Amino acid sequence: MERPNFYRYIALLDYEKDGVHVTFPDLPGCVTAGKDEAEAIKAAHEVLALHLWGMEEDEEMPPTPSSVKALASKAKLQDNETFFLVDAFMPTIREKMAKRFVKKTLSIPAWLNAQAENYGINFSQTLQKALKQELANAR
């Protein structure tokens, strides 16, 4: 599946007493909020990119974004609501997610732990090297 590098979707800002809520009419479940408009807009960019990345990882095709005109004609906006466009530049989020670390809990014998600590061995680095070697051998 060819993955676009750029997406643009319409978000709905809903100004409430407890902050600003953000939803994406074309992407059910893609929601966020902020204590004020600036925080909500920043969060909207982050949640959109992560939502689309998740769809890519699940090999789902994101829907074609609605036009502003089409949504405006369908939606009956309240006085406390407005639309705005949110962009997602995917190469940046793909790289960030590929480089993220995952915390793993594991168990080793106490004597091995004591000796490794005595020699100042970096557990995380050692495990990474060992896993890379195992993966190379598995091919």
Side-chain angles (χ1 to χ4, degrees):
M1 160 173 77
E2 180 66 27
R3 301 181 315 174
N5 286 330
F6 181 82
Y7 292 98
R8 177 177 286 150
Y9 281 90
I10 298 168
L12 175 68
L13 286 179
D14 182 4
Y15 296 83
E16 299 291 337
K17 291 178 183 174
D18 64 342
V20 182
H21 302 213
V22 182
T23 57
F24 290 84
D26 292 323
L27 300 165
C30 185
V31 299
T32 191
K35 66 179 184 230
D36 56 29
E37 183 179 79
E39 190 176 282
I41 289 172
K42 181 180 180 199
H45 285 277
E46 292 170 1
V47 76
L48 176 63
L50 287 171
H51 188 88
L52 293 169
W53 176 81
M55 292 182 79
E56 288 180 355
E57 287 296 297
D58 293 340
E59 297 184 5
E60 295 177 29
M61 191 64 167
T64 301
S66 298
S67 72
V68 175
K69 185 175 182 176
L71 272 180
S73 67
K74 285 194 302 189
K76 304 289 186 235
L77 295 181
Q78 304 296 314
D79 290 341
N80 63 323
E81 297 176 326
T82 191
F83 287 126
F84 79 106
L85 290 171
V86 181
D87 299 331
F89 184 64
M90 296 307 292
T92 305
I93 194 71
R94 289 178 192 131
E95 182 178 349
K96 181 179 179 181
M97 296 307 288
K99 291 181 178 179
R100 77 190 190 282
F101 281 81
V102 177
K103 184 174 179 138
K104 299 301 257 182
T105 302
L106 59 103
S107 299
I108 60 172
W111 67 266
L112 186 59
N113 181 64
Q115 277 195 307
E117 285 181 348
N118 189 41
Y119 284 95
I121 292 175
N122 181 314
F123 287 83
S124 182
Q125 201 171 53
T126 302
L127 179 59
Q128 287 179 52
K129 285 179 188 176
L131 286 171
K132 287 176 186 176
Q133 183 62 46
E134 279 294 313
L135 290 170
N137 292 339
R139 291 183 189 162

